[in-house]
Structure formats: C-alpha cells, structure tokens
Amino acid sequence: MDIDIRGGLAEARALAGGHKGALAAYTVLGVVIPYLLLSSEPIFDLRTVMSMIVSPYSAHVSGSIAGPLYLLGIVSVVAAGAMLAAWNAILTEIREGFVSEIMYGMVAGTAFLAANILIYVGIGLLAVLPSTATIGIAEWNSLGGGAVSAAYRLLLSLAGTWIGARLCLTGAIMGASGKLEPFSAFAESWRRTREAQWRLFAFYFLYGLLIGAALGGLALLHGAVIWNNAQAPGTLLETAMSFGWVLLFAAYFIGQILFAAGFLRASRPRAASEVFA
C-alpha cells in the first residue's frame, strides 16, 4: 500500500481547513495547559537551567526530583490524550462531541504513551550494548573513539527516525477506528508504510531538522534575552519569548496530528472510479 507525500499533505490541509475548532481546542489542551503546568516548576525554567550550566556549584533548586517527574508524567499523559482525541475528532465520520473525545483520548492516549515508552526503551537497551563496546574502544584509542562514538550516535538517530516513520500512522489509526489498544495499530502502520518507508523517512528527517533548528534558534534567542536581563526576570521581552515557545510547540503538535492523519488518508485503497477519474 503506497503513500504519496504530496497527496498526504493535501489531505492534511483539507483536514486542517475542515476542523479548525477541534484542532484549536485540543492544541490548548495538549500544549498550552501542559506548558503552564511545567512553567510552575522551577527546574523547567530556562533561567534556572542557564544558572546551573554557568555555575553548577552555586545554583540551587529546592524540592525533590519526585515532584518534577510526577508533573512530567501528568503532562505527558495529557498531551498524548489530546493528540488521540484530536485524531478521533478529525478522522471519524460522525463526531460524538468533546466530552466523549476527551474521555477516549485520555484512555487511548495513556495506552499509546505506555506502548511507545516500552518500544523505545527496548530499542534503547539494545542500542546500549554496542555503545558499551564503543566506550571501551575509545579508552584505548582516544583519537578514533570520538569519531566512532559520533558515528554511532548519528546511526542511532537515523534508525530512530526510520522507526518513527514506519510507526507514524499508529495514533491516527487508533483515533480513526476508536481503538484503545495500540499494538494492532503499530502492526497496521508498519504494514501501510512499507512501500513508502523511505519517502516518509526523508520527510520526517527533514521535518525533524526544521523543528530542531527552530528549537535551537529560539533557545539561543531566549538565552540571550535572559543573559541581558539577568537582574530583572519577568520582563515583557521574556514573556514574549515564552509566547514564542508556546507557538513553536503548538505548531509541532498540530503538525504531528495533521501529517499522520493526512498520510493515513493517502494510504487508503482507492476505488477504480477514483483511479480512472
């Protein structure tokens, strides 16, 4: 089953135009609310991070690590639930309303998140085995060890992007069919992306580079603002930078939803009347 990238993007644009209200509502739920929750924890503040980098021995953050981890877990579940609710809203033939979509999204999103953690933790554990050998080599050959380690990290990044491309339809498949368990959706995504895997890999690789460059640029810009206003936190310019982070995360969130939904629609078998139209 093939997937045309242009056709998928055209489907994504059509879905965006037809479901603006649902996308806006679930972006607030999946991005704005988690951002506000995380901003209440000092450890997630860029100013705190910069202080720890510049002066790790003098910087101090009160509280235990359990609180931030607990909050991060809640935020992850909320974001995943909002994504599943959004896919359910834009891909089902008949919507059942926000309450039903949110209830579905929280249950399915938790399962989706847990399954992804299991898969990527398992892949990470497998990846650690050769990296341990690489570290041993680096100790014996400090000149070549760095190059080997860098090449290995690049290979892992490319492999992760490829796996992500093969599984990119999972959430959309779950949302479209109302599934609560993700493993059959993983299998279906793997099957549907077989013929288009390298096109999808290239698309998500370039998309990842674009998002990474935007994140890096915004971090540098925000860091410069903090550095120039070290003694005056909370200025209007810093508030504007926070708004910039929300916009970037919102764009990424919407992109993840629409690209997967568009590619899922583009992967559907077409009737003969459509092929010869």
Side-chain angles (χ1 to χ4, degrees), residues 79-80 111 222 245 252:
H222 196 172
W245 283 108
Y252 178 74

Side-chain angles (χ1 to χ4, degrees), residues 111-123:
F112 176 72
L113 180 64
N116 273 282
I117 290 172
L118 287 174
I119 288 174
Y120 284 101
V121 166
I123 293 170

Side-chain angles (χ1 to χ4, degrees), residues 180-245:
L180 294 176
E181 60 85 20
F183 295 105
S184 62
F186 278 128
E188 186 175 348
S189 177
W190 193 269
R191 178 178 60 83
R192 287 196 181 211
T193 57
R194 183 181 296 115
E195 293 185 23
Q197 58 183 292
W198 297 115
R199 290 196 297 274
L200 290 169
F201 167 79
F203 174 83
Y204 279 105
F205 179 75
L206 293 175
Y207 178 58
L209 287 180
L210 178 63
I211 293 297
L215 284 170
L218 191 55
L220 288 174
L221 183 59
H222 196 172
V225 169
I226 291 173
W227 189 267
N228 292 326
N229 297 277
Q231 304 302 320
T235 61
L236 182 62
L237 189 55
E238 279 196 53
T239 302
M241 294 306 304
S242 297
F243 185 66
W245 283 108

